[in-house]
Amino acid sequence: MTEFMLGVTSSLAATAVTVGLGGLLSRRLRWWLLAAVSRLSGLGVLRVHRHQDDAKAALSGEISRARWLRVMVGRGNELTRDGFAPLWSGGGRPPDHVRVLLPDPASTRSSSDVSGEVPGEAPGSAAARHDGGPLSWLDRREAELIALDPGFGRGLLSEQVLANFHYLSEATRDLANTEIRFYELPHLYRIIATDNLVFLTLYQNGAHGRRSPCIVAHRSGSLYDFALRIFDTAWESGRVPGAAPAPGP
């Protein structure tokens, strides 16, 4: 019994020391430990950034090396910024092909205010389609942001998506390797995947995407495969710009 108690006590002491040291470990070592545990579990997680913005430098470097790129965003502001700029300007070695998914602005109730700008949308049709019907997923995400951010008015999110779509359409007009589609699915995550890594942001109800956690996983793990499965499903059901939106309920 004495030996047993000594063993338990020493184990508890060792655990306490390990936990205490864990708080003092460098970020690099914590990421190494996380990768080791993830490798054993098969998830393939390399690191977890507390905020999406913290992954900007790593994402930019990965994009510059990518052979192909898949992007599914909730708004698309990052597509107009420095991390993606080399793709549209021809800087460096471009990926063989790029696929971009944006939320469908034609699905929103507020899209009737800008119906003339929505690809494939006839003036007034959005209002008729959604009057009294369920909110689209873009409307639902907008409602979350309105409750979070006093500067977010109704219709602003769809306007921002449209602005980013128009920017991207112009920037990629002469790029045969880039395709764009619209999706109408829940806004729960942002996916940016390459042939090597996936950056998966899990949108939080009470935060902008840039303030939500971002998981980085490599291609040999199940999380990478799952993220690509989500993207491929959204892509296959997505609307090509210029095509008529799917009829509402």
Side-chain angles (χ1 to χ4, degrees), residues 96-111:
D96 294 336
H97 47 93
V98 179
R99 288 181 172 176
V100 178
L101 279 166
L102 292 165
D104 195 342
S107 67
T108 68
R109 290 181 176 179
S110 56
S111 66

Side-chain angles (χ1 to χ4, degrees), residues 42-245:
L43 283 175
V45 177
L46 291 175
R47 49 192 170 273
V48 178
H49 296 277
R50 181 172 296 182
H51 300 134
Q52 176 180 281
D53 277 356
D54 297 336
K56 280 183 177 179
L59 175 59
S60 180
E62 180 60 25
I63 290 174
S64 68
R65 297 185 294 267
R67 289 189 298 169
W68 53 260
L69 185 64
R70 304 283 185 269
V71 181
M72 181 179 182
V73 293
R75 193 181 319 183
N77 288 347
E78 58 263 60
L79 297 173
T80 69
R81 295 172 181 161
D82 291 347
F84 284 83
L87 292 177
W88 324 134
S89 64
R93 181 186 62 81
D96 294 336
H97 47 93
V98 179
R99 288 181 172 176
V100 178
L101 279 166
L102 292 165
D104 195 342
S107 67
T108 68
R109 290 181 176 179
S110 56
S111 66
S112 59
D113 300 330
V114 288
S115 57
E117 300 181 65
V118 180
E121 180 78 352
S125 60
R129 187 171 64 254
H130 288 286
D131 186 23
L135 292 174
S136 72
W137 291 110
L138 188 58
D139 285 319
R140 297 183 196 197
R141 178 58 176 167
E142 182 179 78
E144 292 179 358
L145 295 175
I146 289 174
L148 167 70
D149 189 339
F152 236 88
R154 184 181 176 190
L156 180 59
L157 183 57
S158 59
E159 289 175 5
Q160 290 180 335
V161 171
L162 273 172
N164 292 325
F165 166 73
H166 290 314
Y167 171 91
L168 194 60
S169 296
E170 186 66 24
T172 63
R173 183 171 51 182
D174 299 323
L175 300 180
N177 68 331
T178 302
E179 300 175 86
I180 308 169
R181 291 186 184 179
F182 295 120
Y183 71 89
E184 169 57 3
L185 291 171
H187 290 221
L188 302 177
Y189 34 70
R190 184 197 75 170
I191 297 172
I192 300 180
T194 71
D195 52 289
N196 186 47
L197 296 176
V198 63
F199 292 75
L200 175 62
T201 298
L202 305 177
Y203 290 156
Q204 294 181 316
N205 188 35
H208 283 287
R210 63 181 180 275
R211 304 298 295 172
S212 297
C214 179
I215 302 170
V216 184
H218 58 75
R219 66 180 177 184
S220 60
S222 56
L223 189 58
Y224 176 94
D225 294 337
F226 182 67
L228 283 188
R229 183 181 177 188
I230 292 173
F231 183 93
D232 289 341
T233 300
W235 182 262
E236 290 167 7
S237 63
R239 180 170 71 88
V240 178

